[in-house]
Amino acid sequence: MQELEKLKYPIGKYTPPVNIDAQQIQLWIDDLANFPQEIAKITSSLSEVDLEIPYRPDGWTARQVIHHLADSHINAYTRVHLTLTEENPTIRQYFEDKWAELADGKTGNIHLSIAILKAIHDRLVFLLRTLKSSDFERTYFHPEAKKEFTLGYLIGNYAWHGKHHLAHIKSTIK
């Protein structure tokens, strides 16, 4: 059981600091800025056979993980915009497991999702670097978790999310 948990969360679960400060947010923004290049680099040597290897028993294939990253980070981009333009918006959840089973997530060309990640992250990082500290205190409501989160929390969560799935892809390479 513990081994399966390590395969699911190779870098541990996301645990944000108690106080999210401006310095931490800038580190997370830097992580988001670097992520598309990291994913492009790590996937550049993967063969079509490698892309079909699941990162754990009953887990997604490397290909599905890459497409999931694009799907998820598109949602992050939308959530950031909603949080900045509405008062405590309720974000829309999505069924990532069902998305991963669609044809584009299961068999699609990974370079399309890597291009999406590059574009989304370029836009997102540009926007985040223009915000005031108080903007990161803005909140949204997550219906699945049934609680409010700050924009700062969301930025940290997605910086972690990229590293989390990079570790999954690295484990399939081994």
Side-chain angles (χ1 to χ4, degrees), residues 78 80-91 138-140:
T78 302
V80 167
H81 280 76
L82 290 170
T83 303
L84 290 170
T85 61
E86 298 177 19
E87 288 305 315
N88 197 38
T90 297
I91 61 160
R138 293 182 63 89
T139 61
Y140 64 93

Side-chain angles (χ1 to χ4, degrees), residues 42-78:
I42 198 167
T43 59
S44 65
S45 63
L46 295 180
S47 70
E48 287 297 312
V49 171
D50 295 333
L51 290 171
E52 299 310 316
I53 299 171
Y55 70 90
R56 65 174 171 84
D58 299 319
W60 289 338
T61 65
R63 181 186 313 275
Q64 286 173 299
V65 169
I66 296 160
H67 292 308
H68 161 72
L69 284 161
D71 295 341
S72 178
H73 290 217
I74 288 169
N75 277 282
Y77 177 83
T78 302

Side-chain angles (χ1 to χ4, degrees), residues 14-21 24-25 28 137 150 152-153:
Y14 176 55
T15 52
V18 175
N19 296 311
I20 299 173
D21 62 19
Q24 180 61 68
I25 288 171
W28 287 333
E137 295 300 318
T150 65
Y153 172 94

Side-chain angles (χ1 to χ4, degrees), residues 47-163:
S47 70
E48 287 297 312
V49 171
D50 295 333
L51 290 171
E52 299 310 316
I53 299 171
Y55 70 90
R56 65 174 171 84
D58 299 319
W60 289 338
T61 65
R63 181 186 313 275
Q64 286 173 299
V65 169
I66 296 160
H67 292 308
H68 161 72
L69 284 161
D71 295 341
S72 178
H73 290 217
I74 288 169
N75 277 282
Y77 177 83
T78 302
R79 291 169 178 180
V80 167
H81 280 76
L82 290 170
T83 303
L84 290 170
T85 61
E86 298 177 19
E87 288 305 315
N88 197 38
T90 297
I91 61 160
R92 189 174 189 295
Q93 60 189 35
Y94 73 104
F95 299 102
E96 59 187 39
D97 55 332
K98 292 180 181 180
W99 286 36
E101 293 300 320
L102 294 173
D104 63 332
K106 218 164 160 122
T107 62
N109 182 332
I110 64 165
H111 299 292
L112 297 173
S113 283
I114 293 170
I116 287 170
L117 284 165
K118 179 164 180 21
I120 289 287
H121 280 247
D122 284 353
R123 288 268 318 262
L124 182 59
V125 167
F126 176 83
L127 173 63
L128 294 174
R129 287 188 171 150
T130 68
L131 300 180
K132 302 177 297 237
S133 292
S134 60
D135 292 326
F136 293 99
E137 295 300 318
R138 293 182 63 89
T139 61
Y140 64 93
F141 180 78
H142 196 298
E144 188 176 11
K146 295 180 177 43
K147 62 191 254 188
E148 289 182 359
F149 295 99
T150 65
L151 185 59
Y153 172 94
L154 180 124
I155 300 310
N157 192 16
Y158 279 94
W160 168 86
H161 187 252
K163 291 178 182 183

